[in-house]
Amino acid sequence: MFSRFLLSLVGIREAVLEQAPSDRARYLSLGAILLGTAAIAAVSMTFAIQMAVRAPLPLAVFLGIGWGAFILVLDRAMVIGMSKQKGWVRTAVLVVPRVGLAFLLGVVVSTPIVLQIFDREIQTQIKVEQAENESDYQRDLAADPAYLTIPDLEKKVAELSATASRDPAVIDRNPAVQQAQAAYDQASAELSEAVKDETCERAGWNCPNSTGVEGIGEAARAAMDARQEKQRVVDQKLVILNKAKADAKAAEDINAVAAQAELQRVQPELNRLREARDGKTTAYRVKSADSDGLAARLDALDTLSETSPSVNRMRWVLWATFLAIELLPVLLKLLQMGGGETSYERLSRLSDESDERAAQARIAQEENRVALEREMDADREYLDARDQLNRRRTEERPNRQPEDYDDRAASARVDSDLHTGS
C-alpha cells in the first residue's frame, strides 16, 4: 500500500510498471525522496512559524504540515512535468525554470533549519546585542533634551520635601547650628581633657603634665579650677547651640510652608517627565524583548559568521546540505533525463502512442458518424420540403384531374422548384 503511494507521487502507472519490474526500485526511491523533502520542509516551516510569530506549537505543527504538503505537491508537479524534449533548447526551456524554482524553495526551506541548529549561539548573540542596545539607549535617553531637567527637579523635590516635612536633619545642616555645634563639641572635648587631668592629679597617677603626688594640693586645686572653667565654657556653648537650633527651627517652620507650596508646583512636572521617560523606556524594552524573530536571528547569525570563521563555515555547509536535499528530486529527475530511456519510459511512451492512436480512431469514427447523420438529416429535410411543395401545388390546382398530370414530369418540376430557391 505504501509503495503504491510512493509510486503515485512520481506519477507512475502501475499497470505499465508491472511490465518493467527492473525500474520499480528507481521510482520507489524517487517517491521516498519526494516524501522526505516534504517532511523536511514541514519541520522547517514549524521552526519558522515559531521564530517569526511565536505561534503555539500545535498551530506551528499544523501550518508546517500544510507547508510540507504544498511542497510535496509542487515537487511532484515539477518532477512529473520534466521530460526529455527533441533538441537541447526545448529541454533547457523546460528544465531551467523548474530547477530555478526548486533552488528558491530550497533556500526558503533550509534557512530556518540552519537557524534552529545554531539556536543556542544565536540566542547568546541576541542577548549581547540587546545589552549593547540598552546601553546605547540609556546614553541617548540621558542626553535627550526633553528629560535633561529630571535630575535637577529630583534634587529640588528632595530638598523641598525635607524642608516641608521639618526634617531635623535640615536643622542640623543650618550653618549657624553647625558652627555652634562645632564650638560646643570642641568645648566638650576640652572639658573631657580637663576632667582627665584633674583625676590624674588627685589620684597621683603618672599622667602627662601631672606631679604624681596623691591628694589635693596646689596642682590639684589648679586642675579643679581649670575643669570648672571648661565646664562653664561648655555650658555657654550649649546655650548658644540650643538658641541656634531654636532659631533654625523657627526659620524652617516658615520655610516649610513655602516649600510645601513650591513642592505642589514642582512635583507634578517631575511626575509627568518621569512617566514619559519610563513609558518610552518600557516600550523600548518590550520591543527589545521581542527582537528575537526571524530577521533578528538572521542578523545575529551574520554577526556570528563575521566574528567566527568556524561558525561561518558550518553555516554554509549546513545550508548547502539542506539545499541539496531540497533540490534532490529535481536533480535526480534531471540526471535520469540525461541518461537513456528506461524500460518503463519506453513502455509508457508506447502506451501513450497507442492510446493516442486509439483516441484518434475514436475521434475519426465519431466525426464520420456525425457527418453521416448530417447527410441523413439533409436528405430528410429535402424529402420533407418536396412533399410540402407537392401538397402546396396540389392545393393550388383543385379543379384539375389527376390523370392530366404525368407523375414523372411533376416530380421533375418539383425538383426544379426546390433547387431554384423554394
Side-chain angles (χ1 to χ4, degrees), residues 314-347:
M314 286 302 300
R315 170 191 181 179
W316 292 112
V317 167
L318 291 170
W319 182 82
T321 300
F322 286 104
L323 176 62
I325 292 174
E326 290 301 317
L327 284 172
L328 199 55
V330 175
L331 292 178
L332 284 179
K333 185 64 176 181
L334 188 61
L335 292 174
Q336 289 181 5
M337 289 172 56
E341 191 178 37
T342 64
S343 300
Y344 171 80
E345 291 172 344
R346 184 171 58 256
L347 291 173

Side-chain angles (χ1 to χ4, degrees), residues 3 9 65 201 233 274 278 316 360 415:
S3 61
L9 292 180
I65 293 174
E201 190 63 41
V233 172
R274 279 176 172 175
D278 295 345
W316 292 112
Q360 290 176 350
D415 293 342

Side-chain angles (χ1 to χ4, degrees), residues 195-223:
V195 170
K196 180 179 177 182
D197 292 342
E198 180 187 0
T199 302
C200 289
E201 190 63 41
R202 294 177 65 176
W205 295 342
N206 292 324
C207 299
N209 301 321
S210 175
T211 59
V213 178
E214 182 180 359
I216 301 176
E218 183 177 353
R221 284 193 291 270

Side-chain angles (χ1 to χ4, degrees), residues 85-310:
Q85 304 293 316
K86 294 181 179 179
W88 66 271
V89 176
R90 292 184 178 180
T91 302
V93 170
L94 179 69
V95 170
V96 170
R98 287 170 170 78
V99 174
L101 180 59
F103 180 84
L104 178 61
L105 291 175
V107 172
V108 173
V109 169
S110 61
T111 299
I113 296 179
V114 173
L115 291 177
Q116 186 64 28
I117 291 175
F118 288 102
D119 182 66
R120 183 176 300 177
E121 292 80 3
I122 289 173
Q123 291 296 335
T124 302
Q125 181 62 30
I126 288 176
K127 291 179 180 178
V128 171
E129 292 178 356
Q130 287 177 343
E132 294 175 352
N133 294 336
E134 175 73 16
S135 178
D136 294 340
Y137 171 78
Q138 292 296 340
R139 183 176 62 254
D140 295 340
L141 187 66
D144 192 335
Y147 310 114
L148 286 177
T149 58
I150 289 180
D152 295 336
L153 289 175
E154 288 176 338
K155 182 178 179 181
K156 186 174 183 179
V157 166
E159 293 174 352
L160 291 173
S161 297
T163 302
S165 63
R166 295 175 174 83
D167 187 357
V170 175
I171 298 176
D172 294 337
R173 289 194 296 268
N174 185 281
V177 172
Q178 289 179 342
Q179 184 178 0
Q181 183 69 49
Y184 173 77
D185 292 340
Q186 183 178 358
S188 297
E190 292 176 357
L191 175 62
S192 298
E193 289 294 328
V195 170
K196 180 179 177 182
D197 292 342
E198 180 187 0
T199 302
C200 289
E201 190 63 41
R202 294 177 65 176
W205 295 342
N206 292 324
C207 299
N209 301 321
S210 175
T211 59
V213 178
E214 182 180 359
I216 301 176
E218 183 177 353
R221 284 193 291 270
M224 292 173 62
D225 293 340
R227 189 261 307 165
Q228 291 174 355
E229 178 62 23
K230 295 296 182 182
Q231 181 65 54
R232 185 182 63 79
V233 172
V234 167
D235 294 340
Q236 289 178 349
K237 297 298 182 183
L238 180 59
V239 171
I240 294 173
L241 175 61
N242 291 335
K243 183 177 183 303
K245 287 185 176 181
D247 294 341
K249 184 177 183 302
E252 286 302 319
D253 290 341
I254 297 173
N255 293 335
V257 177
Q260 186 65 39
E262 181 67 9
L263 186 64
Q264 291 178 354
R265 184 187 67 83
V266 175
Q267 186 69 57
E269 177 65 14
L270 176 60
N271 292 340
R272 183 186 66 80
L273 292 175
R274 279 176 172 175
E275 289 176 0
R277 183 192 62 184
D278 295 345
K280 186 176 180 180
T281 301
T282 301
Y284 168 79
R285 287 175 177 169
V286 169
K287 182 179 179 181
S288 178
D290 291 337
S291 62
D292 61 346
L294 198 59
R297 290 168 185 253
L298 286 172
D299 291 340
L301 185 57
D302 289 339
T303 304
L304 287 171
S305 300
E306 292 174 0
T307 57
S308 175
S310 58

